[in-house]
Amino acid sequence: MALATLPLASRLTAAAAAAEAAQPNLTIGWSFIAKRPEISATQLFQGYEGQHAPGAVAIFAKWGIVHYERNYVRRSVGTRPPFDVISEFGSRPGATKPSMCGKPNDPNWKSSHVMEVRETLISGAPLPFQKGPVLKRAILLRRPVDASADVFAQGAAQFAAGVSQSFGAASDRISLYMQSGPIEDILACKPVGSICEAVVMIWPKDGTFLPDSLPAPGSVAISSIIDLEAFASEIPA
């Protein structure tokens, strides 16, 4: 089975694109957000995009955050991941942010697990600012218990290179994200186990079909394949 991409309705902003181009080496943080069970995916989306995100943008510039993106899970293959949104925060090198530990974030959220990731561009080029919606395919990778961290990292890079060889021409961009720090539940204010140790992210070209299964080396395990719909906000200078 394969999935056709959604139409790309991205709106590009030249000023925002120039701002991001001037900050190529951002510190990237991800927040894996799970909604409360009584909240629908539509309610989560409307509350996040209509209220939470606009309010957050107003203070992010003070924290050195120049990129803010929400990636909503629209479909999963295999095990459903324990989250509904991956929020991404790109900060200028050396920027310091106040701790959000224990602070309320959004009444629709059940949990928010935060970790830093290191991005390696596998194919394509840095994209201009895109408000969205933008469709992505994310492949979540876990480290088998018998694989060392170094062996897993090599296997993840090998897997990402294979994805690029197979789908690079059909994609605008492919990146490998590796976990680079501990993961913390900022609502419960405590460390938690990792959801995944690496993610291969694909930005498919409009109209592209991507397969729902891929071979992987023994040093990595595919835990989930998910389709994401992304929206981003401009951060005022």
Side-chain angles (χ1 to χ4, degrees):
M1 183 170 63
L3 175 73
T5 64
L6 298 174
L8 299 183
S10 305
R11 292 166 290 173
L12 308 184
T13 304
E20 289 200 5
Q23 298 288 341
N25 298 314
L26 301 181
T27 299
I28 300 175
W30 277 0
S31 178
F32 297 92
I33 297 167
K35 66 179 181 62
R36 296 186 180 276
E38 68 272 17
I39 299 298
S40 69
T42 298
Q43 289 173 310
L44 175 70
F45 175 78
Q46 291 175 342
Y48 206 153
E49 294 303 309
Q51 299 173 354
H52 185 99
V57 165
I59 62 173
F60 277 171
K62 302 176 183 177
W63 297 351
I65 295 175
V66 297
H67 177 78
Y68 177 37
E69 183 175 310
R70 286 78 60 199
N71 297 273
Y72 295 89
V73 178
R74 296 308 189 201
R75 175 178 177 268
S76 63
V77 179
T79 303
R80 169 80 184 189
F83 58 84
D84 301 283
V85 187
I86 304 174
S87 287
E88 180 172 310
F89 310 89
S91 304
R92 299 185 186 94
T96 57
K97 301 181 291 295
S99 172
M100 295 300 294
C101 181
K103 297 180 181 179
N105 284 271
D106 190 301
N108 292 336
W109 297 1
K110 177 183 177 182
S111 63
S112 176
H113 295 178
V114 175
M115 72 178 185
E116 285 193 359
V117 296
R118 181 179 66 256
E119 180 186 11
T120 301
L121 182 63
I122 304 299
S123 64
L127 298 176
F129 178 84
Q130 298 172 296
K131 287 187 176 180
V134 174
L135 186 72
K136 303 178 187 179
R137 167 68 61 89
I139 306 169
L140 278 58
L141 305 178
R142 296 300 308 265
R143 178 164 64 94
V145 294
D146 58 346
S148 68
D150 288 343
V151 169
F152 172 74
Q154 293 171 4
Q158 177 186 345
F159 176 76
V163 170
S164 177
Q165 184 175 6
S166 297
F167 307 111
S171 306
D172 291 318
R173 191 171 192 256
I174 296 175
S175 278
L176 171 64
Y177 296 87
M178 298 291 298
Q179 180 178 353
S180 59
I183 185 166
E184 179 185 26
D185 185 333
I186 62 170
L187 301 188
C189 201
K190 64 179 183 180
V192 292
S194 295
I195 293 172
C196 59
E197 287 90 0
V199 174
V200 174
M201 194 82 75
I202 306 170
W203 284 253
K205 294 182 182 296
D206 193 12
T208 296
F209 289 81
L210 297 177
D212 284 343
S213 61
L214 294 167
S219 55
V220 302
I222 298 176
S223 60
S224 298
I225 297 176
I226 56 177
D227 290 315
L228 303 169
E229 189 178 23
F231 297 81
S233 299
E234 295 181 48
I235 306 297

